[in-house]
Amino acid sequence: MPSKTIAGKTVEVTEDGFLVNPSDWTEEIAAELAKEEGIEELTDMHWKVIRFMRQEFEKEGHIPTIRKIKNAGGVPIKDLYNLFPDGPAKKAAKIAGLGKPQGCV
């Protein structure tokens, strides 16, 4: 696996830039990954989605779907697309330090 230095920490990443080990994730890494994805600043609403995704991953062992984020996380789908344009599941998972969601090409 390739490695990359993000926010001063060297981590393993996939070819698509997803963290290999979710335990390597920090909020500082999230902010840098967000910038790489074209999101200059993470708002409270971004953090709500990111933290929900990480909690669900820790609890369930898999990345939550958009539907689960909407229903259990309380974030409308339209808002998810505004927060994470051009593929909210993929971008949010990447910024949250999780793997590439299943079904994302």
Side-chain angles (χ1 to χ4, degrees):
M1 290 282 162
S3 63
K4 179 177 181 178
T5 301
I6 308 169
K9 183 175 182 179
T10 302
V11 295
E12 282 186 271
V13 294
T14 66
E15 290 180 11
D16 294 327
F18 288 83
L19 295 185
V20 172
N21 301 309
S23 61
D24 288 338
W25 181 87
T26 65
E27 290 191 0
E28 292 78 18
I29 287 175
E32 290 300 314
L33 290 173
K35 287 178 185 170
E36 288 178 12
E37 293 297 318
I39 301 169
E40 285 303 311
E41 183 179 343
L42 293 172
T43 64
D44 289 343
M45 199 64 162
H46 285 104
W47 285 113
K48 178 179 179 177
V49 173
I50 292 165
R51 289 183 179 119
F52 175 79
M53 290 184 80
R54 289 193 60 84
Q55 288 169 353
E56 284 296 305
F57 181 80
E58 288 174 20
K59 186 169 71 173
E60 302 291 332
H62 56 83
I63 300 164
T65 63
I66 292 287
R67 177 175 281 161
K68 180 126 188 188
I69 296 168
K70 177 185 82 95
N71 293 337
V75 181
I77 290 178
K78 182 179 177 184
D79 290 350
L80 286 170
Y81 277 90
N82 288 331
L83 291 166
F84 304 97
D86 303 321
K90 185 176 178 181
K91 279 191 179 184
K94 187 175 197 177
I95 295 166
L98 306 174
K100 189 174 185 180
Q102 289 189 353
C104 285
V105 184

